[in-house]
Amino acid sequence: MNILVVDDEPLARARLQRLIAAMPAHRCIGEAADGEQALALCQRLRPDVVLLDIRMPGIDGMATARALAAVPGSPTIVFTTAYADFAVQAFDAGAVHYLLKPVVAARLAQALERITPPLAPSLLLQRGASSQRVLLADVLYMQADAKYLTVHTVHGQWLLEESLANMEQRFAPRLLRVHRSLLINAQRLRAVHRDTDGHAWAEVEDVSARLPVSRRLLGVVQRQLEDR
């Protein structure tokens, strides 16, 4: 599962990230130091689970949990706190687990094992007469071509009879528009470069081709990188 770590203490965030890194079935996709950052990252990264501290400056953990609970498809909340007396409030706010600091590996693993992960989004793609279901996470980029999309994945190249606009609307913000004919996997975006003629192109993980970035969308793509 994809996990977001939220805590105002850098050492606490680092500890949780080390624990997650040791669990092959899970990965940390981001960290936030307060509730405001957490809400913004949840909207962009769509984590499955949020490990959430309670006492933080600004928007605290309780308010953050309530705000997330009001959003369709919200992540599962696991509170991680040094205070035992917030448990009732935590479960009222929608949390499914309540871990006391210092969080130990066994307790964290146990909590995550009890969470039923959501079905990972996928696409049914075609290649000639054959078809295959591919996880959206394995998509590198999509390119519009007549009435089809050419979908480049880690498993090869496939076709999809769908419009780029529909894919963008359905899977935003996981898929990011960089050009009128291109969507890329936002999680695989590594950098934006300019060539000697001033044209911008996106560097995407596991893609050797230079994927063009239009002038109109350049600011959006750059903000995507800056907000990480």
Side-chain angles (χ1 to χ4, degrees):
M1 290 184 291
N2 292 329
I3 301 172
L4 178 69
V5 172
V6 184
D7 198 300
D8 63 325
E9 299 178 3
L11 291 178
R13 295 198 303 272
R15 176 183 176 83
L16 289 171
Q17 289 184 68
R18 286 196 301 271
L19 295 179
I20 295 167
M23 301 177 184
H26 310 292
R27 66 171 181 151
C28 178
I29 59 170
E31 60 176 288
D34 56 44
E36 185 175 0
Q37 291 180 15
L39 293 173
L41 286 176
C42 283
Q43 184 176 18
R44 182 165 63 85
L45 301 178
R46 304 293 175 89
D48 302 313
V49 178
V50 176
L51 300 183
L52 183 60
D53 189 19
I54 291 181
R55 287 193 172 177
M56 298 184 296
I59 304 175
D60 67 10
M62 292 296 178
T64 301
R66 293 189 183 97
L68 289 173
V71 178
S74 59
T76 300
I77 301 297
V78 175
F79 276 117
T80 58
T81 177
Y83 304 95
D85 52 346
F86 287 106
V88 173
Q89 293 172 259
F91 291 117
D92 285 344
V96 299
H97 292 290
Y98 189 92
L99 300 177
L100 291 177
K101 296 179 181 178
V103 177
V104 298
R107 292 294 307 279
L108 178 60
Q110 186 180 48
L112 295 176
E113 285 173 5
R114 292 176 179 173
I115 297 171
T116 302
L119 292 175
S122 62
L123 299 170
L124 185 62
L125 305 177
Q126 293 180 318
R127 183 190 290 153
S130 64
S131 61
Q132 179 172 324
R133 186 162 292 279
V134 175
L135 292 175
L136 187 67
D138 290 338
V139 171
L140 303 173
Y141 67 98
M142 297 181 178
Q143 189 165 22
D145 182 18
K147 66 175 182 177
Y148 292 97
L149 296 180
T150 302
V151 183
H152 298 258
T153 80
V154 296
H155 309 292
Q157 193 171 306
W158 299 76
L159 293 178
L160 179 64
E161 192 171 359
E162 186 59 88
S163 74
L164 209 65
N166 284 347
M167 287 294 98
E168 180 182 19
Q169 182 177 17
R170 182 179 172 188
F171 292 113
R174 292 182 175 94
L175 295 181
L176 176 67
R177 173 87 70 159
V178 298
H179 189 272
R180 68 176 181 274
S181 62
L182 280 173
L183 289 174
I184 66 170
N185 185 328
Q187 287 297 308
R188 293 179 177 270
L189 176 64
R190 293 294 171 259
V192 175
H193 305 278
R194 290 180 182 273
D195 61 24
T196 54
D197 295 324
H199 299 125
W201 58 278
E203 177 187 337
V204 176
E205 179 184 339
D206 295 326
V207 176
S208 58
R210 293 186 173 191
L211 303 180
V213 178
S214 69
R215 290 184 180 179
R216 181 175 65 86
L217 296 169
L218 180 58
V220 175
V221 179
Q222 289 174 328
R223 283 194 295 275
Q224 174 80 15
L225 289 167
E226 293 167 358
D227 289 344
R228 290 181 176 175

